Amino acid sequence: MASLTAHPRASRYPDAVPRNWKRGRPLTLLLSGVSWAVLIGACAAQPVEFRVGFSMNEERRAPLNVAFTAQAPAEYHIEWDFGDGSAGQGHQVNHTYYRAGSYTVQARLLDTRGQRRSTATGQVKVLSGGPEHAALVVLLGRGEVRLSAAGSVAYRPGNPSFSLEGRPVGPGPIPVTAGEYRAAVRLPGESGVLEDSVKFRMAPLAASVPFETEVLRLTNQARARGWNCQTLRAGGPALPPLKRNPALEVAALAQSAGMALGDYFDHQSRLDGSTPAQRVEATGLSVRASGENIAAGQETPEEVVQAWLRSPGHCRNIMGDFTQIGVSYVNRAGSSYGRYWTQVFATPAE
């Protein structure tokens, strides 16, 4: 039987920083022709508050999806120039940059008569994502599977297509029975069609809803009591409870199921090579920050939560500034550890 402390790889992923996304600073703009980095206090006779923010992967590698948000009165119209020949409209828009470079972005605020009231201008720098390649993330569930192209690098727009055992399928959830399977993904790239495939096995996995519920209760109990990760005792500032998120539940189950069926213990999946951040991305959830705790062999929720709280990296995730969580417990007889536990933390992008 394994304990968390016997496996140093049980620390959060990545080892130094659990946050994989960041938000751009919102800027108050009340004057045309000013930089994102400047705050202007007055403009015309009747100033209108115009706030611009953005969220992106902090690595900034192409293809890079950026979520732009403009806060202004609902009756005002927002026009966007993304600096790569593309444009958009609306208070909330998403845009993907497929090539590395520095792009000048403009957000224009128009009143009900179509007259420009303010303009925000700034730079978005996109780094190269390296050679084009397809990546397939397989999110295992109980009697079902989900497929995603998260982690792929393609320098042209296009939608991925998936297949299971040679049969075209959607991203899922796809019902599957016990057995061996091969899933594949194809997507258009600048250099041609990009492909990847993954072989995986499905088998029955025992579950325990009471165990998962108790892990959540004990986790939120530690937050409410202000558990100190250095002194290993309660008494610090209380933190609000984490709320369960269905998408994070999918990511947590995929990790526990992958370890149980693949008979391994690691944050990086030996099934498809995915990282915790890629599994969260594969669920379709956009986040500003995420982290993952795993454990194997512990018999009870009390044992596993205590092990996490007494391990610095795991404790920092539990006591971090995340707002939502997914919890998974699976039991597979005959595997190396038997019981596999996963917590996935995140702060969704607004």
Side-chain angles (χ1 to χ4, degrees), residues 67-101:
F68 294 97
T69 302
Q71 296 181 15
E75 64 270 21
Y76 283 77
H77 183 68
I78 313 296
E79 291 184 345
W80 298 86
D81 181 341
F82 300 117
D84 62 352
S86 301
Q89 299 181 4
H91 286 65
Q92 294 183 339
V93 295
N94 288 278
H95 183 67
T96 300
Y97 292 94
Y98 288 93
R99 290 181 172 274

Side-chain angles (χ1 to χ4, degrees), residues 58-72:
E58 67 178 0
E59 293 183 351
R60 296 175 177 258
R61 297 190 181 280
L64 177 66
N65 182 265
V66 182
F68 294 97
T69 302
Q71 296 181 15

Side-chain angles (χ1 to χ4, degrees), residues 1-348:
M1 181 179 299
S3 67
L4 179 143
T5 54
H7 300 275
R9 288 178 296 179
S11 61
R12 57 191 168 83
Y13 181 94
D15 290 340
V17 183
R19 297 180 177 87
N20 299 301
W21 290 73
K22 69 177 181 181
R23 168 183 283 285
R25 184 173 59 148
L27 304 171
T28 302
L29 299 162
L30 298 177
L31 185 66
S32 298
V34 299
S35 166
W36 300 63
V38 177
L39 300 181
I40 301 299
C43 178
Q46 295 181 338
V48 177
E49 185 176 19
F50 183 29
R51 296 171 62 86
V52 177
F54 60 96
S55 299
M56 68 181 73
N57 186 309
E58 67 178 0
E59 293 183 351
R60 296 175 177 258
R61 297 190 181 280
L64 177 66
N65 182 265
V66 182
F68 294 97
T69 302
Q71 296 181 15
E75 64 270 21
Y76 283 77
H77 183 68
I78 313 296
E79 291 184 345
W80 298 86
D81 181 341
F82 300 117
D84 62 352
S86 301
Q89 299 181 4
H91 286 65
Q92 294 183 339
V93 295
N94 288 278
H95 183 67
T96 300
Y97 292 94
Y98 288 93
R99 290 181 172 274
S102 184
Y103 300 92
T104 300
V105 180
Q106 283 193 344
R108 295 184 288 271
L109 178 69
L110 308 179
D111 62 20
T112 55
R113 296 175 296 177
Q115 296 182 347
R116 184 181 303 182
R117 295 294 304 275
S118 184
T119 301
T121 304
Q123 297 290 318
V124 172
K125 186 175 182 179
V126 183
L127 305 178
S128 172
E132 287 190 310
H133 69 274
L136 177 60
V137 178
V138 178
L139 299 177
L140 300 177
R142 293 187 176 91
E144 64 182 27
V145 66
R146 291 172 169 84
L147 306 177
S148 170
S152 298
V153 175
Y155 295 134
R156 58 166 293 184
N159 296 319
S161 60
F162 303 100
S163 65
L164 185 64
E165 290 297 294
R167 174 175 57 90
V169 294
I174 308 161
V176 291
T177 58
E180 303 282 341
Y181 293 89
R182 179 182 179 274
V185 62
R186 290 166 53 94
L187 69 158
E190 193 174 58
S191 57
V193 177
L194 309 175
E195 300 179 284
D196 188 25
S197 64
V198 171
K199 293 182 179 180
F200 65 94
R201 177 178 59 169
M202 287 297 295
L205 295 170
S208 175
V209 172
F211 270 18
E212 294 175 349
T213 302
E214 182 65 2
V215 166
L216 177 63
R217 188 190 72 81
L218 292 171
T219 296
N220 281 332
Q221 181 183 81
R223 291 172 62 88
R225 292 179 176 177
W227 182 263
N228 188 306
C229 297
Q230 293 182 327
T231 63
L232 302 182
R233 63 181 62 183
L239 297 176
L242 299 168
K243 297 181 179 180
R244 296 186 83 163
N245 179 295
L248 299 179
E249 299 278 287
V250 170
L253 176 55
Q255 172 66 342
S256 291
M259 291 190 295
L261 292 170
D263 202 18
Y264 66 90
F265 183 68
D266 202 330
H267 285 288
Q268 183 167 5
S269 170
R270 295 184 188 174
L271 172 71
D272 55 22
S274 63
T275 65
Q278 288 171 342
R279 289 189 289 275
V280 171
E281 180 185 352
T283 69
L285 182 68
S286 296
V287 301
R288 296 190 313 178
S290 66
E292 179 182 272
N293 285 347
I294 59 175
Q298 292 78 8
E299 296 187 4
T300 66
E302 293 78 7
E303 184 182 353
V304 72
V305 173
Q306 280 300 309
W308 279 331
L309 287 174
R310 295 182 179 280
S311 170
H314 302 83
C315 185
R316 284 194 292 269
N317 275 346
I318 290 175
M319 300 304 297
D321 57 359
F322 300 111
T323 60
Q324 298 185 7
I325 189 174
V327 180
S328 174
Y329 163 83
V330 303
N331 188 336
R332 176 155 172 75
S335 61
S336 295
Y337 303 102
R339 299 171 176 83
Y340 298 83
W341 310 77
T342 302
Q343 291 178 313
V344 178
F345 307 85
T347 300

